[in-house]
Amino acid sequence: MQRTLFAAVALAAAGWTSAQEVTAYGGTLRVREADEVTFSAGASYLNPVNEHLALGLVYLNEGHPLGHHRDGVGSQVWFRSNNQQPGWSFGAGIGAYYYFDTVDLHSKTGARYTNDHGWAPIYSAQLTYHYPDSRWYNQLMVTRIRPSGKDATTSLMLGVGYQFNGVKGDKLHLEGPATDEAVTVLAGQGITNSLSSETTAIAALEYRRAVGRYVDWTLTALYEGNTAQSKRNGVATQLWLIRSLNPKVELGMGAGPYFNIRVPDGEGQRSHRSGLVSVASRYHWSKQVVAEVSWNRVVTDYHRDADLFLIGVGYSF
């Protein structure tokens, strides 16, 4: 049911033409059971359906409480007072949250940590101030996440957001004379989801094609570096939900399988299953040239999850 809610909200959020809202957050998080306080951060995308209803996607980093490095992505339905007028407004959201948790095993032999994945309900409340004659706003958000069998967390974050006009709800390159295919070269940094968060230089080559009004398909060759923790190469294929924010900017969320050609040292040569979950923004410099920045999470079945931060330039043809 949680997976169905997540997909339904994501698909519905791509379909309305009203102004969209993108917000970045930072703040604190409390784990009541362990009596701990740590940092929290996140980003959200909201698409209003009408004056009082909105659908949204969110990424949250739940900090580093003792023995845990947890973050995740979620989808929510929001009920709000009128957010189209200057001044204060209020909102409450509920939805499903898929988490990635690096857990310290406190083991003296064998594996030191594991990467847990699972679903949890997510509840949020917002207090927003919209500045007069401006698309900018500030937002205070409280979020509660309650995974089964794990500590619940409560975060308090302050956000800065911007409201976009949208462009008829269509993809940019399907509205104009530019074509619907692109090849992009990207480079950046990979971070292993371990207790030490090892980093390495990475690269990727992406082929992207529009296959629907709001849907892209990509085929991506990935090089995750050459350290013992990150020595993994492969090819990922993903489907993307794409939304245009203005005449030059697109925002998208993609997911799909990641086929590993080489795996990190110590993992042997057995068959491993991996997936790739991504959030990306694309900026159209011209009809042929596009810039792209993305966050990608490699989800594995052998405790080598990783974050891949990539930036690149592509050519549309």
Side-chain angles (χ1 to χ4, degrees), residues 289-307:
V289 181
V290 59
E292 181 174 327
V293 58
S294 67
W295 165 81
N296 308 268
R297 169 60 58 83
V298 180
V299 185
T300 72
D301 65 349
Y302 54 104
H303 313 308
R304 288 297 174 93
D305 288 10
D307 289 302

Side-chain angles (χ1 to χ4, degrees), residues 68-299:
H68 294 269
H69 294 184
R70 191 169 76 192
D71 63 342
V73 292
S75 61
Q76 292 175 285
V77 178
W78 284 90
F79 305 92
R80 309 190 297 175
S81 61
N82 190 356
N83 268 42
Q84 307 303 317
Q85 302 298 325
W88 295 101
S89 62
F90 307 89
I94 183 172
Y97 178 74
Y98 187 73
Y99 63 82
F100 316 92
D101 191 8
T102 302
V103 182
D104 188 350
L105 296 179
H106 304 289
S107 176
K108 295 182 179 180
T109 60
R112 294 177 50 243
Y113 69 92
T114 185
N115 294 139
D116 288 344
H117 315 108
W119 292 91
I122 178 172
Y123 313 94
S124 301
Q126 293 177 344
L127 174 63
T128 307
Y129 182 78
H130 290 263
Y131 292 94
D133 301 318
S134 175
R135 294 188 180 278
W136 292 97
Y137 58 86
N138 284 116
Q139 191 172 87
L140 188 67
M141 184 165 74
V142 179
T143 298
R144 178 76 168 171
I145 298 170
R146 300 190 62 182
S148 177
K150 288 181 173 287
D151 290 344
T153 63
T154 303
S155 61
L156 175 64
M157 298 185 292
L158 179 64
V160 176
Y162 188 82
Q163 190 176 66
F164 292 84
N165 264 336
V167 283
K168 302 179 184 177
D170 285 332
K171 288 173 52 58
L172 297 174
H173 54 258
L174 294 183
E175 290 191 323
T179 56
D180 62 353
E181 293 180 272
V183 174
T184 305
V185 178
L186 305 108
Q189 184 176 75
I191 303 175
T192 303
N193 290 173
S194 69
L195 300 175
S196 301
S197 299
E198 298 88 354
T199 62
T200 186
I202 62 174
L205 179 65
E206 175 192 274
Y207 168 75
R208 180 180 293 265
R209 181 180 179 84
V211 295
R213 187 177 181 184
Y214 306 112
V215 181
D216 276 3
W217 169 73
T218 58
L219 185 67
T220 307
L222 286 167
Y223 167 75
E224 292 189 55
N226 201 36
T227 68
Q229 292 78 20
S230 65
K231 192 178 293 182
R232 179 172 52 202
N233 300 330
V235 176
T237 180
Q238 295 173 282
L239 287 177
W240 292 75
L241 293 171
I242 297 291
R243 194 71 159 90
S244 297
L245 299 181
N246 63 34
K248 285 189 174 291
V249 179
E250 291 179 351
L251 184 67
M253 183 174 183
Y258 177 22
F259 303 99
N260 303 146
I261 299 171
R262 183 177 64 167
V263 299
D265 290 347
E267 299 299 338
Q269 296 302 313
R270 70 180 179 88
S271 177
H272 291 295
R273 291 178 298 176
S274 301
L276 192 67
V277 179
S278 306
V279 176
S281 180
R282 305 175 76 223
Y283 182 84
H284 292 255
W285 291 97
S286 67
K287 295 177 183 178
Q288 281 76 40
V289 181
V290 59
E292 181 174 327
V293 58
S294 67
W295 165 81
N296 308 268
R297 169 60 58 83
V298 180
V299 185

Side-chain angles (χ1 to χ4, degrees), residues 3-70:
R3 293 173 176 82
T4 302
L5 174 62
F6 194 100
V9 171
L11 287 168
W16 274 278
T17 61
S18 53
Q20 303 110 56
E21 302 166 18
V22 176
T23 314
Y25 303 96
T28 63
L29 177 140
R30 183 166 185 248
V31 184
R32 182 176 180 181
E33 291 87 344
D35 193 23
E36 290 185 78
V37 175
T38 183
F39 71 89
S40 61
S44 71
Y45 164 82
L46 260 71
N47 197 125
V49 177
N50 56 39
E51 184 178 344
H52 299 293
L53 181 67
L55 302 174
L57 301 172
V58 63
Y59 165 77
L60 292 175
N61 186 321
E62 298 182 66
H64 293 169
L66 184 62
H68 294 269
H69 294 184
R70 191 169 76 192

